[in-house]
Amino acid sequence: MIEFIDEKGMIDPIGEPLGAKVAVTAFSAHTFAELVARTGAKRIKDVYGCVDVEMYMFETNGKKVLVYKSPVGAPAAVAAMEEVMACGVEHVVAFGICGALTDVPAHTFVVPNRAFRDEGTSLHYAPASEFAEVKNSKVVEKRLAECGVNTVTGGTWTTDGFYRETKSRAETMRKNGCVAVDMECSALQIAADFRGKQFYTFFITADSLAGEEWEPNDILELKVTDSTTVAATAAMTMAIRIAEKA
């Protein structure tokens, strides 16, 4: 493994200011569609860089908020966030589904307060360590509570290997205080830290690795449900509150 060096990259994301300091993003198509529908965001431009990003915008109380769909997986999700931040965004609110590692029902809202770095992207933004601190977890807890959402707070296991989530790995993560498994959190947090930006995130549990066998629940056929509507509304409200103070 090449040791991390805090050196300027040879390639920079290219963007132009869009007037929005806050962005909100979802990962899956149905949650993104719900987010766009609830915000009334209009498509304003496409950015073609390391990954292609469709950008939407809505305005409230004189404040603009950017909306974009994030790719799944740490490398692409970080590339998309880099391109969004290059357009002047200082705060990113991200929400999506996760796997449960503990015995909680599907559609439980999880606020990660630290993320186990089992992905490779973050190693390009910070020296190796076991966990990344998810710095704005208290803010997210507060905003979700204001929306009437009950949450579970704990660590998340961020992995690149969706099909290599083994029983022993899941047990190790539980022993390390992880209540969920995701694919982007630690990388997005550390990339935001590296760029001096603010990151806010929460999940909704879908599949479960808490038992002896994988329980897919609705991960493969997740449709617009009450929890998705609540999540989109909460993320939108959070982004608006942040924008009012930005």
Side-chain angles (χ1 to χ4, degrees):
M1 178 64 66
I2 298 175
E3 182 180 355
F4 169 77
I5 300 173
D6 188 3
E7 180 181 0
K8 188 180 186 301
M10 297 177 67
I11 307 171
D12 287 324
I14 299 174
E16 61 183 68
L18 298 174
K21 292 185 178 181
V22 178
V24 57
T25 186
F27 293 87
S28 57
H30 77 283
T31 50
F32 179 71
E34 182 73 8
L35 182 60
V36 169
R38 296 197 71 78
T39 61
K42 305 299 182 184
R43 190 167 175 176
I44 58 167
K45 69 175 300 178
D46 294 354
V47 173
Y48 304 101
C50 179
V51 295
D52 297 344
V53 183
E54 296 178 5
M55 294 186 179
Y56 293 68
M57 188 91 77
F58 72 94
E59 188 170 340
T60 178
N61 297 325
K63 297 287 187 176
K64 295 179 179 178
V65 178
L66 198 68
V67 181
Y68 73 100
K69 183 179 179 298
S70 181
V72 173
V78 167
M81 188 175 73
E82 285 269 32
E83 290 161 19
V84 167
M85 293 188 302
C87 293
V89 166
E90 299 286 334
H91 305 260
V92 176
V93 178
F95 73 104
I97 62 173
C98 69
L101 290 180
T102 56
D103 191 17
V104 296
H107 307 302
T108 297
F109 281 69
V110 174
V111 179
N113 56 14
R114 61 179 189 157
F116 191 87
R117 296 171 65 185
D118 193 18
E119 41 73 31
T121 305
S122 66
L123 296 174
H124 296 274
Y125 289 84
S129 63
E130 276 197 326
F131 282 91
E133 178 189 358
V134 184
K135 297 178 179 177
N136 287 313
S137 59
K138 293 294 185 184
V139 176
V140 175
E141 284 180 337
K142 180 180 178 181
R143 295 304 180 203
L144 290 176
E146 290 172 351
C147 294
V149 177
N150 295 320
T151 59
V152 172
T153 299
T156 187
W157 165 28
T158 304
T159 178
D160 282 339
F162 179 82
Y163 292 109
R164 293 297 299 147
E165 295 173 9
T166 64
K167 191 178 297 185
S168 59
R169 283 174 183 260
E171 179 59 29
T172 298
M173 291 299 102
R174 276 192 291 273
K175 290 178 179 177
N176 277 281
C178 293
V179 299
V181 55
D182 80 291
M183 297 183 71
E184 300 87 15
C185 184
S186 60
L188 289 172
Q189 178 65 67
I190 287 179
D193 291 345
F194 182 81
R195 297 298 185 189
K197 312 299 183 182
Q198 297 297 315
F199 177 64
Y200 314 77
T201 192
F202 64 91
F203 312 134
I204 314 165
T205 57
D207 63 321
S208 177
L209 285 76
E212 289 298 310
E213 301 290 338
W214 177 56
E215 297 177 22
N217 297 328
D218 54 12
I219 190 172
L220 301 180
E221 298 182 14
L222 198 58
K223 299 175 181 177
V224 176
T225 62
D226 289 342
S227 63
T228 302
T229 301
V230 171
T233 302
M236 174 184 69
T237 302
M238 195 180 307
I240 291 170
R241 295 290 178 268
I242 295 167
E244 289 172 348
K245 297 180 178 180

